[in-house]
Amino acid sequence: MNKRGGIGFYLFLIIFVFLVMFPFIWVFLTSIKPPREIFSSFNWFTSDPSLNSYEAALTNRPLVRYMINSFVVSALTTVLSLAFAAFTAYAVTRLPIKGKGLILGLVLAASMFPQIAIISPMFNLVTGLGLRNSYLGLVIPYITISLPLAIWILSTFFKKIPFELEESAKLDGASPFQTFRKIIFPLAAPGVFTTGILVFIAAWNEYLFALTINSDDMWRTVPVGISMYQSQYSVPWGDISAATVIVTIPIVILVLFFQKRIVSGLTSGSVKE
């Protein structure tokens, strides 16, 4: 019975992993097919694999520039969001402030607004500040949409830290900021790291604000840049598939490299003491 159960579990796991990975597998197989096979057949594998689509993806459009733009915007968004979210989460979870539940409720309510509902005022704000076609022009709206998630996740981790540590620091004469910097923040490092990864990936994949605010081709990010590969009369699926593989690899490597810390951060915030 246990053996059958084990076989069934692994069979289910294989099917599940295949379904999850199927889009990426299909994109990769499409990227190495000659253009004539992409449109003429639905075969999984090709008898004439080629890297021409990768060469075209890198030469026909400034893909490397798109990746640099996405990395800079995502990195700035992550750093600034973590800074604001950490102080906010510390204040609403550790300091004697009235209306903490209301504050967190408002933060949660803000995260429920769809991006299309705030794109118009955000576009007017960025235009009025003269920040269109710039990194900061994207960082500002990205922070607004990533802060609610970051605050909620960090609040969960800060609540798990024993208050006795903070009280001991106060008895030793530490200020709230010193307590936050030397005790609370280091102990919540797994949660901060996990939150940073999630914010970075969300900023890397964002499309609507990037399409609307940065219209200059040299300031476009990866999602918008890939969507611009299509021409008036045709859609170069080989180039698009190759570009998708190229820009996905850094994120996959990032997640695989830090997977232990990500899992540790996601699980440590849910452990009850």
PDB file of all heavy atoms in Angstrom, residues 51-61 229 238-239 242:
ATOM      1  N   LEU A  51      20.120  28.103 -33.986  1.00  0.00           N
ATOM      2  CA  LEU A  51      20.191  29.226 -33.051  1.00  0.00           C
ATOM      3  C   LEU A  51      20.001  30.570 -33.753  1.00  0.00           C
ATOM      4  O   LEU A  51      20.308  31.617 -33.177  1.00  0.00           O
ATOM      5  CB  LEU A  51      21.538  29.212 -32.312  1.00  0.00           C
ATOM      6  CG  LEU A  51      21.816  27.989 -31.429  1.00  0.00           C
ATOM      7  CD1 LEU A  51      23.201  28.100 -30.804  1.00  0.00           C
ATOM      8  CD2 LEU A  51      20.759  27.844 -30.340  1.00  0.00           C
ATOM      9  N   ASN A  52      19.505  30.520 -34.982  1.00  0.00           N
ATOM     10  CA  ASN A  52      19.315  31.758 -35.741  1.00  0.00           C
ATOM     11  C   ASN A  52      18.329  32.698 -35.064  1.00  0.00           C
ATOM     12  O   ASN A  52      18.466  33.926 -35.137  1.00  0.00           O
ATOM     13  CB  ASN A  52      18.840  31.438 -37.160  1.00  0.00           C
ATOM     14  CG  ASN A  52      19.915  30.757 -37.985  1.00  0.00           C
ATOM     15  OD1 ASN A  52      21.109  30.902 -37.703  1.00  0.00           O
ATOM     16  ND2 ASN A  52      19.505  29.996 -38.994  1.00  0.00           N
ATOM     17  N   SER A  53      17.328  32.130 -34.395  1.00  0.00           N
ATOM     18  CA  SER A  53      16.335  32.971 -33.719  1.00  0.00           C
ATOM     19  C   SER A  53      16.963  33.747 -32.569  1.00  0.00           C
ATOM     20  O   SER A  53      16.597  34.900 -32.312  1.00  0.00           O
ATOM     21  CB  SER A  53      15.180  32.109 -33.206  1.00  0.00           C
ATOM     22  OG  SER A  53      14.446  31.545 -34.277  1.00  0.00           O
ATOM     23  N   TYR A  54      17.919  33.140 -31.895  1.00  0.00           N
ATOM     24  CA  TYR A  54      18.604  33.838 -30.799  1.00  0.00           C
ATOM     25  C   TYR A  54      19.461  34.981 -31.348  1.00  0.00           C
ATOM     26  O   TYR A  54      19.513  36.061 -30.758  1.00  0.00           O
ATOM     27  CB  TYR A  54      19.464  32.848 -30.020  1.00  0.00           C
ATOM     28  CG  TYR A  54      18.669  31.900 -29.168  1.00  0.00           C
ATOM     29  CD1 TYR A  54      18.206  30.693 -29.687  1.00  0.00           C
ATOM     30  CD2 TYR A  54      18.356  32.216 -27.852  1.00  0.00           C
ATOM     31  CE1 TYR A  54      17.454  29.816 -28.908  1.00  0.00           C
ATOM     32  CE2 TYR A  54      17.614  31.348 -27.069  1.00  0.00           C
ATOM     33  CZ  TYR A  54      17.163  30.160 -27.600  1.00  0.00           C
ATOM     34  OH  TYR A  54      16.407  29.301 -26.823  1.00  0.00           O
ATOM     35  N   GLU A  55      20.128  34.726 -32.464  1.00  0.00           N
ATOM     36  CA  GLU A  55      20.917  35.786 -33.081  1.00  0.00           C
ATOM     37  C   GLU A  55      20.021  36.932 -33.530  1.00  0.00           C
ATOM     38  O   GLU A  55      20.345  38.115 -33.318  1.00  0.00           O
ATOM     39  CB  GLU A  55      21.690  35.226 -34.267  1.00  0.00           C
ATOM     40  CG  GLU A  55      22.555  36.264 -34.970  1.00  0.00           C
ATOM     41  CD  GLU A  55      23.302  35.681 -36.151  1.00  0.00           C
ATOM     42  OE1 GLU A  55      23.182  34.452 -36.400  1.00  0.00           O
ATOM     43  OE2 GLU A  55      24.005  36.449 -36.847  1.00  0.00           O
ATOM     44  N   ALA A  56      18.879  36.586 -34.124  1.00  0.00           N
ATOM     45  CA  ALA A  56      17.948  37.624 -34.583  1.00  0.00           C
ATOM     46  C   ALA A  56      17.348  38.386 -33.411  1.00  0.00           C
ATOM     47  O   ALA A  56      17.145  39.603 -33.481  1.00  0.00           O
ATOM     48  CB  ALA A  56      16.839  36.987 -35.428  1.00  0.00           C
ATOM     49  N   ALA A  57      17.069  37.672 -32.311  1.00  0.00           N
ATOM     50  CA  ALA A  57      16.484  38.335 -31.142  1.00  0.00           C
ATOM     51  C   ALA A  57      17.421  39.365 -30.549  1.00  0.00           C
ATOM     52  O   ALA A  57      16.985  40.398 -30.018  1.00  0.00           O
ATOM     53  CB  ALA A  57      16.111  37.285 -30.090  1.00  0.00           C
ATOM     54  N   LEU A  58      18.717  39.100 -30.639  1.00  0.00           N
ATOM     55  CA  LEU A  58      19.709  40.014 -30.062  1.00  0.00           C
ATOM     56  C   LEU A  58      20.120  41.130 -31.008  1.00  0.00           C
ATOM     57  O   LEU A  58      20.637  42.158 -30.561  1.00  0.00           O
ATOM     58  CB  LEU A  58      20.951  39.227 -29.633  1.00  0.00           C
ATOM     59  CG  LEU A  58      20.766  38.264 -28.459  1.00  0.00           C
ATOM     60  CD1 LEU A  58      21.994  37.376 -28.298  1.00  0.00           C
ATOM     61  CD2 LEU A  58      20.496  39.026 -27.170  1.00  0.00           C
ATOM     62  N   THR A  59      19.892  40.939 -32.300  1.00  0.00           N
ATOM     63  CA  THR A  59      20.343  41.932 -33.278  1.00  0.00           C
ATOM     64  C   THR A  59      19.216  42.775 -33.855  1.00  0.00           C
ATOM     65  O   THR A  59      19.423  43.960 -34.154  1.00  0.00           O
ATOM     66  CB  THR A  59      21.096  41.238 -34.433  1.00  0.00           C
ATOM     67  OG1 THR A  59      20.239  40.244 -35.027  1.00  0.00           O
ATOM     68  CG2 THR A  59      22.365  40.575 -33.918  1.00  0.00           C
ATOM     69  N   ASN A  60      18.035  42.201 -34.007  1.00  0.00           N
ATOM     70  CA  ASN A  60      16.932  42.951 -34.612  1.00  0.00           C
ATOM     71  C   ASN A  60      16.360  44.002 -33.669  1.00  0.00           C
ATOM     72  O   ASN A  60      15.827  45.024 -34.128  1.00  0.00           O
ATOM     73  CB  ASN A  60      15.815  42.003 -35.056  1.00  0.00           C
ATOM     74  CG  ASN A  60      16.238  41.115 -36.205  1.00  0.00           C
ATOM     75  OD1 ASN A  60      17.230  41.404 -36.890  1.00  0.00           O
ATOM     76  ND2 ASN A  60      15.509  40.033 -36.431  1.00  0.00           N
ATOM     77  N   ARG A  61      16.445  43.739 -32.390  1.00  0.00           N
ATOM     78  CA  ARG A  61      15.960  44.687 -31.391  1.00  0.00           C
ATOM     79  C   ARG A  61      17.016  44.807 -30.290  1.00  0.00           C
ATOM     80  O   ARG A  61      17.805  43.886 -30.068  1.00  0.00           O
ATOM     81  CB  ARG A  61      14.627  44.221 -30.765  1.00  0.00           C
ATOM     82  CG  ARG A  61      13.524  43.923 -31.757  1.00  0.00           C
ATOM     83  CD  ARG A  61      12.950  45.183 -32.359  1.00  0.00           C
ATOM     84  NE  ARG A  61      12.322  46.012 -31.347  1.00  0.00           N
ATOM     85  CZ  ARG A  61      11.717  47.169 -31.611  1.00  0.00           C
ATOM     86  NH1 ARG A  61      11.675  47.617 -32.843  1.00  0.00           N
ATOM     87  NH2 ARG A  61      11.170  47.882 -30.653  1.00  0.00           N
ATOM     88  N   TYR A 229       8.516  43.115 -30.959  1.00  0.00           N
ATOM     89  CA  TYR A 229       9.178  42.344 -32.004  1.00  0.00           C
ATOM     90  C   TYR A 229       8.278  42.146 -33.227  1.00  0.00           C
ATOM     91  O   TYR A 229       8.763  41.967 -34.332  1.00  0.00           O
ATOM     92  CB  TYR A 229       9.599  40.971 -31.464  1.00  0.00           C
ATOM     93  CG  TYR A 229      10.961  40.966 -30.823  1.00  0.00           C
ATOM     94  CD1 TYR A 229      11.136  41.412 -29.529  1.00  0.00           C
ATOM     95  CD2 TYR A 229      12.067  40.514 -31.509  1.00  0.00           C
ATOM     96  CE1 TYR A 229      12.383  41.412 -28.923  1.00  0.00           C
ATOM     97  CE2 TYR A 229      13.328  40.495 -30.923  1.00  0.00           C
ATOM     98  CZ  TYR A 229      13.480  40.954 -29.623  1.00  0.00           C
ATOM     99  OH  TYR A 229      14.719  40.961 -29.030  1.00  0.00           O
ATOM    100  N   GLY A 238       9.695  32.870 -33.723  1.00  0.00           N
ATOM    101  CA  GLY A 238      11.007  32.345 -33.352  1.00  0.00           C
ATOM    102  C   GLY A 238      11.821  33.354 -32.573  1.00  0.00           C
ATOM    103  O   GLY A 238      12.418  33.028 -31.541  1.00  0.00           O
ATOM    104  N   ASP A 239      11.848  34.604 -33.041  1.00  0.00           N
ATOM    105  CA  ASP A 239      12.587  35.657 -32.338  1.00  0.00           C
ATOM    106  C   ASP A 239      11.977  35.923 -30.966  1.00  0.00           C
ATOM    107  O   ASP A 239      12.700  36.102 -29.969  1.00  0.00           O
ATOM    108  CB  ASP A 239      12.575  36.945 -33.157  1.00  0.00           C
ATOM    109  CG  ASP A 239      13.250  36.769 -34.504  1.00  0.00           C
ATOM    110  OD1 ASP A 239      13.693  35.647 -34.802  1.00  0.00           O
ATOM    111  OD2 ASP A 239      13.337  37.761 -35.259  1.00  0.00           O
ATOM    112  N   ALA A 242      12.860  33.062 -28.627  1.00  0.00           N
ATOM    113  CA  ALA A 242      14.267  33.133 -28.219  1.00  0.00           C
ATOM    114  C   ALA A 242      14.477  34.256 -27.208  1.00  0.00           C
ATOM    115  O   ALA A 242      15.189  34.079 -26.207  1.00  0.00           O
ATOM    116  CB  ALA A 242      15.145  33.349 -29.448  1.00  0.00           C
TER     117      ALA A 242
END
